[in-house]
Structures are given as structure tokens and as C-alpha cells.
Amino acid sequence: MRTELYYGKTTSVVVNTMPLRTTVIGCYPKPDYLEIPTWFKPNFDLSPAHYSEYCRKMPSDELEKLVKKATKDVIKEQIEMGIDVISDGEMRRDNYVYYFCRHVNGFDFKNPVVKPIRNGACEIHMPRIIGKIGQCSEDDWVAKEWRLSQDMSRVPVKYTVPGPMTIIDSTHNEYYRNEELSEDLIKVINKQILGLAKAGNGDTMLQYTMYNDDENYSKADLQSYFRLASNLDESIFDQIAIEDAHRHNDLTLLKHFKKSQVVLGVVAVARSRVETAEEIRSRLSEALKYIPAERLLVAPDCGLGFLPHGILKQKLQNMVKAAKSLP
């Protein structure tokens, strides 16, 4: 609250003097002591089967000890840099799409297929969908994993969940012949999100990606995607009250979710050049002309897994500096 003088009269008005909040998208570079195979290492020949083999050979208690240490280190670093809404760095994942799918029946990770992505920029080994999608035996594993991370942090930890379209675009379907694939994925994702909202007692931070916007789709494909994505998003969240989960996604349906927040990418993860705090502040000042400050979260434009650690820290530090100087 501040006091202002209007036409000779003193009045008190409530204004937003809080700096903009910051977050990260999800993944963080894994420390050297955690050798989990991940597609963020410079080896696009990596197969999802390598992750399974690594976890099979590593004693489970030893692996869990390393994952917890890495998670604590990543959480501590983000907090020290001043990030307001952090992630667990996805330390136990090879990537956030396949890790989720490993908890779901119907996927084959032992015999992947090689397919091009990103308009032929590279080829990756994709797991195959060979049976009906169904929940595995472990209930609410997303909520349990989030709780482990949140218990390590004094600031909010958000959890990242891939949407149905992201999963479909990142896997090879050999079983379904119609939209039942989307419907079955919705059921699995919905169950985990509901468990997450319940575990957080209405204060859970969720980052939900509806589809990969990096792919090159025709106009007809895009129209179909937007129509289906809208239906999917409504379907997944229809049982969760607005206040139960803050939703962050690349395709935020503001007309449906009036309290959803806009996550604005202001530093590039695909470039080594470090943006100055002044550059970032300029971008944010422009964004504030159109987005209310209370609905804006400042972030990198994607996950941080590919960035060298030193450059990553410089980018985040400048991002935080710029955000805290506004609005």
C-alpha cells in the first residue's frame, strides 16, 4: 500500500509493488556423479532402452541416493539464484515424456524405432505403442515424486507432465487406429494430475504441455490439433477446481482458464550468448503492456538440459535481476 495525493486530498491505494516472479521450465543439467542416460547429452543415437538397462544394473538404493543428492543440489542452486517457482531438475528422468510413459502399460521401450523429428533435423529412437494404454500398478506416483522434491524446498516446486499430443508426437503408434489413443492417454494423465492436486492440498504447481509446437504441421493438421488440444485440456482439468493447480503450458487456453498464468520465455536455451539484464528487462516491459504482472511468470524459453552449467547460471542470474526490477 502507498499513499497518494489527489486534488488536495490524501488517499490510500493498493498497488502491485512486488517484482515479477521467475521460474524454470523443467529439466536441469545432471551433475557428473549422476550418470543416468539422457537425451541432453550430445549423443542422438541414445536409445530409451539404455535408460532401462542403466536402472536395471544400478542397485536401486544406490541410484535413489544419487538422485536425491542431485535433486537437493539443483534445488539449492535455484533457490540461491532467487528463482521463485523451481523444478526438481528432472534428475531421475531420461526425458520428461518417456519417463512418464515408463509408468504406463502399453509402451515397448526394449525395441524402439528410429524416426526423424524437428523437420528432419535429427533422428531419435522412439518407444513403440504396442498395446492398450493403461495405468501401471503404482498409484499416484506423480504425487509421491513431487512430495519428495517439495519436502526438500522452502519455495514452491512445480511438476512437469506431458500432455497427450506431446506423447503421441514422441512415440510410434502400432496399436491404435483411431482417437481412442488420445482418450486412453487422457485417463492416465488425468488420474495422476488429480492425485497431484490432492497431495498439494490445493497449492500444487503444475506445468502441463499439450503438444510439441516444434513440429511442422499443415494448416489442416494445425486446425485439427488446436481443436483436439482444446478438448483434451478441458477433459483433463474438468475435475480440478481452478484454485487446485496453477497451469503453465506453451498453449495456454486463456478463454477456458481465466486464472492460468502466462509463462514468458525471455532467455534462449539454444544459444550460448548470455542475454544482459537490460535486454531481458526491455522484453518484460513490453510484455507488461499486454499481460498483468500478477499473471506473468518469467522463464527461459525451454528446458535447460543442453546448456553448459556456467552459461546457465549467468542466464538465470540476469533473468532474476531483470524480473526483480519490475513492474
Side-chain angles (χ1 to χ4, degrees):
M1 179 176 291
R2 75 180 180 212
T3 301
E4 295 185 348
L5 187 67
Y6 290 101
Y7 299 103
K9 296 181 179 181
T10 301
T11 183
S12 295
V13 294
V14 177
V15 296
N16 183 2
T17 57
M18 296 293 292
L20 295 178
R21 294 190 304 157
T22 55
T23 188
V24 292
I25 297 303
C27 65
Y28 215 82
K30 290 179 173 56
D32 292 339
Y33 58 79
L34 184 61
E35 298 179 341
I36 288 179
T38 171
W39 67 3
F40 295 111
K41 294 182 179 179
N43 180 10
F44 287 108
D45 288 332
L46 182 72
S47 168
H50 294 158
Y51 176 91
S52 302
E53 184 68 10
Y54 173 84
C55 293
R56 186 183 67 82
K57 291 183 177 180
M58 174 72 75
S60 59
D61 57 342
E62 182 178 343
L63 177 58
E64 187 64 18
K65 181 179 179 180
L66 290 174
V67 166
K68 286 182 177 179
K69 173 176 168 51
T71 302
K72 287 180 180 179
D73 289 346
V74 166
I75 285 175
K76 181 174 182 289
E77 180 167 294
Q78 291 175 83
I79 292 175
E80 288 177 345
M81 283 191 288
I83 303 295
D84 298 302
V85 180
I86 66 172
S87 80
D88 63 1
E90 301 179 356
M91 292 292 104
R92 64 177 71 244
R93 310 182 187 187
D94 49 347
N95 66 69
Y96 89 110
V97 181
Y98 293 167
Y99 181 80
F100 187 93
C101 293
R102 291 177 192 277
H103 291 79
V104 179
N105 288 324
F107 290 92
D108 176 13
F109 284 88
K110 295 181 179 178
N111 304 287
V113 298
V114 179
K115 293 181 65 176
I117 61 170
R118 307 295 187 266
N119 299 321
C122 64
E123 293 184 336
I124 66 169
H125 293 76
M126 290 185 177
R128 298 155 55 230
I129 300 175
I130 60 171
K132 185 173 177 60
I133 298 298
Q135 192 71 43
C136 288
S137 58
E138 185 179 1
D139 288 336
D140 295 337
W141 63 269
V142 161
K144 293 173 184 175
E145 187 174 293
W146 168 78
R147 174 50 65 189
L148 285 173
S149 300
Q150 186 61 72
D151 286 346
M152 300 178 187
S153 173
R154 58 179 171 80
V155 304
V157 177
K158 69 181 180 183
Y159 195 91
T160 54
V161 176
M165 303 311 298
T166 301
I167 293 175
I168 290 172
D169 288 338
S170 306
T171 57
H172 181 65
N173 174 29
E174 297 180 3
Y175 181 80
Y176 289 87
R177 296 293 180 264
N178 51 45
E179 291 188 1
E180 287 183 5
L181 172 56
S182 302
E183 295 170 0
D184 285 350
L185 286 170
I186 287 172
K187 294 175 185 176
V188 170
I189 296 169
N190 192 46
K191 184 178 186 300
Q192 292 302 321
I193 291 178
L194 288 170
L196 180 63
K198 182 179 179 180
N201 293 320
D203 195 28
T204 313
M205 302 294 286
L206 171 68
Q207 178 176 298
Y208 169 73
T209 304
M210 291 201 300
Y211 77 112
N212 279 335
D213 60 353
D214 299 323
E215 304 292 347
N216 183 29
Y217 301 112
S218 69
K219 184 177 181 180
D221 288 335
L222 282 173
Q223 290 174 341
S224 175
Y225 257 59
F226 277 105
R227 182 168 59 253
L228 181 56
S230 177
N231 292 335
L232 294 179
D233 210 42
E234 280 284 284
S235 208
I236 286 175
F237 290 108
D238 61 3
Q239 297 180 57
I240 302 178
I242 287 285
E243 63 270 20
D244 280 344
H246 297 289
R247 291 175 290 281
H248 313 287
N249 52 63
D250 294 334
L251 182 61
T252 304
L253 300 178
L254 299 179
K255 63 181 181 180
H256 294 310
F257 307 121
K258 295 179 181 179
K259 291 188 179 181
S260 60
Q261 294 171 289
V262 178
V263 180
L264 181 66
V266 294
V267 297
V269 304
R271 299 190 187 99
S272 59
R273 189 184 76 83
V274 177
E275 299 85 349
T276 66
E278 290 72 24
E279 286 180 89
I280 300 170
R281 178 186 169 88
S282 177
R283 295 174 188 173
L284 292 174
S285 296
E286 184 67 20
L288 285 170
K289 296 177 182 178
Y290 310 97
I291 307 169
E294 64 272 14
R295 290 190 53 218
L296 183 61
L297 272 172
V298 183
D301 62 7
C302 200
L304 299 163
F306 284 113
L307 280 174
H309 191 242
I311 293 175
L312 175 155
K313 289 191 69 174
Q314 292 178 58
K315 284 177 176 280
L316 290 186
Q317 286 167 345
N318 286 352
M319 183 186 80
V320 171
K321 181 180 180 181
K324 289 191 181 303
S325 69
L326 292 168

